[in-house]
Amino acid sequence: MISDKMKTIYVVGAGGRTGMLFCRELQNAARMIGVAFPAEIENIKSGKAKIARGKNPPEIFTAELVPPEDFGAAIVRNAPDFLWLAARNPVDKITAFYYRHFTNQQNFPALVLSQNGLSAVADAKKGLQEALGQDADKVAIVRVSLINGVDLNTDGDGTLTIGYKLPIKLGFGTAQTYIGDTDVSFSPSLGLGKIFKKAGVKAREFRGKDVLAMENAKLFLNLIGMAAAANGAGVAAGYRDKKIFKKEMAALREFVSAANAVRGGFAGKLGGYPVKLLARLALLPVCLLAPWRGILAGAVAKGRNRLKDLSEIDYYNGEVVRLGKKANVPTPVNEEIIAKARALKCKI
């Protein structure tokens, strides 16, 4: 199914911010077909979905779209090379739903996962096993770590506008490594790299075990500001507050210790962030870092200064707690952040 022709990518979750971003940014490099709920499709077709790319004024989002119930017919007309899940965690059930449409086939579209956290690949494998049985390991899985933050605003008339900086920066790599009996663990991710290059995306490819290091690096960046958010503060304000800063560093320290123990550490750089260096700094005594928290606040808040979204805390700090149990590393600070975040959400 993978050839030199223009690839076809189905994006599940095309009505959400990540799905909209990739449908828009890859449209000149591949045939992008979005899968969205009927209400989302109606909103998009009526011009009530917009994208503010970089410093450009908002543009109306347009895309080729199909609802989930028409997916089976759509893939008969236009077979996918990639099925990109831009839906939120967990992805086991949604993976099973879409791959049931490919039972009894010889070739399967590669599965692209751009979720936060560390669980997406394992969850997707459960879904593939449920849908395809013994053929599950014939589906190549490509992991994508998007670095750009995506803001979302909704107007009074229901118009949804997402915004993000340009260029798009991401890491990617093949996580499940076979198409049939062919080992593709060190292949150029099935042509996805060429698509990113053609689209002007600044993409770094990771291979083999380095895909885990990429995932670790992305989660490290995601964790920055979560202690602050659980206390109702933005990243910069949290780092300038001595008490919150200590919680931020302690939460990161727990994650670094667990990731070093059982997941092979961190990528050196991801999206321009020197994550491996930052991870090493997180292991230093907080008394050495506290005098520099003002400088650190300016550095880490650049492009990431909005109040962090607590809705996926189970796949941010929750991942640290699960990883800590696996690595036998205590994670009391991350557990505290989760409890505070849930209490805060209950009050809203």
Side-chain angles (χ1 to χ4, degrees), residues 163-181:
Y164 47 84
K165 291 186 175 181
L166 294 175
I168 299 302
K169 298 179 181 179
L170 56 81
F172 71 105
T174 305
Q176 179 152 308
T177 57
Y178 286 89
I179 298 182
D181 296 325

Side-chain angles (χ1 to χ4, degrees), residues 137-170:
D137 64 354
K138 296 179 181 179
V139 179
I141 299 176
V142 180
R143 195 71 168 98
V144 171
S145 292
L146 175 67
I147 305 306
N148 302 61
V150 186
D151 294 320
L152 172 65
N153 294 296
T154 304
D155 295 341
D157 66 349
T159 298
L160 178 152
T161 303
I162 67 165
Y164 47 84
K165 291 186 175 181
L166 294 175
I168 299 302
K169 298 179 181 179
L170 56 81

Side-chain angles (χ1 to χ4, degrees), residues 18-292:
T18 304
M20 287 174 63
L21 180 153
F22 283 113
C23 281
R24 172 61 182 86
E25 297 304 324
L26 302 183
Q27 65 181 3
N28 294 323
R31 182 176 183 181
M32 307 299 295
I33 301 176
V35 182
F37 293 115
E40 293 173 326
I41 293 176
E42 183 179 348
N43 213 45
I44 292 167
K45 288 184 175 180
S46 64
K48 290 187 175 181
K50 297 181 179 181
I51 299 179
R53 305 172 63 244
K55 296 181 180 180
N56 299 314
E59 62 182 55
I60 293 176
F61 171 60
T62 59
E64 184 177 354
L65 299 165
V66 297
E69 57 267 28
D70 292 345
F71 178 77
I75 62 173
V76 172
R77 296 190 301 269
N78 301 290
D81 297 295
F82 297 94
L83 180 62
W84 190 310
L85 293 189
R88 287 194 167 194
N89 289 300
V91 298
D92 51 343
K93 297 302 181 184
I94 196 169
T95 299
F97 174 84
Y98 284 100
Y99 273 88
R100 284 194 186 99
H101 294 85
F102 300 100
T103 54
N104 301 318
Q105 292 195 17
Q106 295 298 314
N107 297 309
F108 302 94
L111 175 61
V112 183
L113 302 170
S114 53
Q115 288 70 26
N116 291 312
L118 309 176
S119 302
V121 172
D123 286 346
K125 287 181 178 180
K126 292 178 185 176
L128 290 170
Q129 183 66 38
E130 181 182 336
L132 302 176
Q134 62 183 7
D135 287 335
D137 64 354
K138 296 179 181 179
V139 179
I141 299 176
V142 180
R143 195 71 168 98
V144 171
S145 292
L146 175 67
I147 305 306
N148 302 61
V150 186
D151 294 320
L152 172 65
N153 294 296
T154 304
D155 295 341
D157 66 349
T159 298
L160 178 152
T161 303
I162 67 165
Y164 47 84
K165 291 186 175 181
L166 294 175
I168 299 302
K169 298 179 181 179
L170 56 81
F172 71 105
T174 305
Q176 179 152 308
T177 57
Y178 286 89
I179 298 182
D181 296 325
T182 303
D183 185 353
V184 296
S185 57
F186 288 92
S187 75
S189 290
L190 316 172
L192 197 57
K194 291 181 179 180
I195 293 173
F196 289 146
K197 184 177 181 179
K198 186 176 180 180
V201 172
K202 288 193 173 182
R204 177 185 174 188
E205 183 170 10
F206 295 83
R207 299 185 179 184
K209 293 181 179 180
D210 287 341
V211 176
L212 293 180
M214 175 195 76
E215 283 187 316
N216 294 344
K218 174 62 188 300
L219 182 54
F220 184 95
L221 295 175
N222 285 148
L223 289 170
I224 294 172
M226 291 303 289
N231 284 277
V235 179
Y239 266 59
R240 291 190 176 95
D241 182 291
K242 191 173 183 179
K243 185 177 179 180
I244 296 176
F245 178 76
K246 288 182 178 180
K247 295 293 184 182
E248 286 276 342
M249 290 298 103
L252 290 172
R253 188 180 304 114
E254 291 173 0
F255 174 50
V256 172
S257 298
N260 283 341
V262 295
R263 282 183 59 92
F266 297 83
K269 287 187 177 182
L270 184 63
Y273 290 93
V275 182
K276 183 175 284 188
L277 173 60
L278 294 174
R280 289 173 179 170
L281 290 174
L283 294 176
L284 294 175
V286 72
C287 61
L288 297 178
L289 298 172
W292 304 96

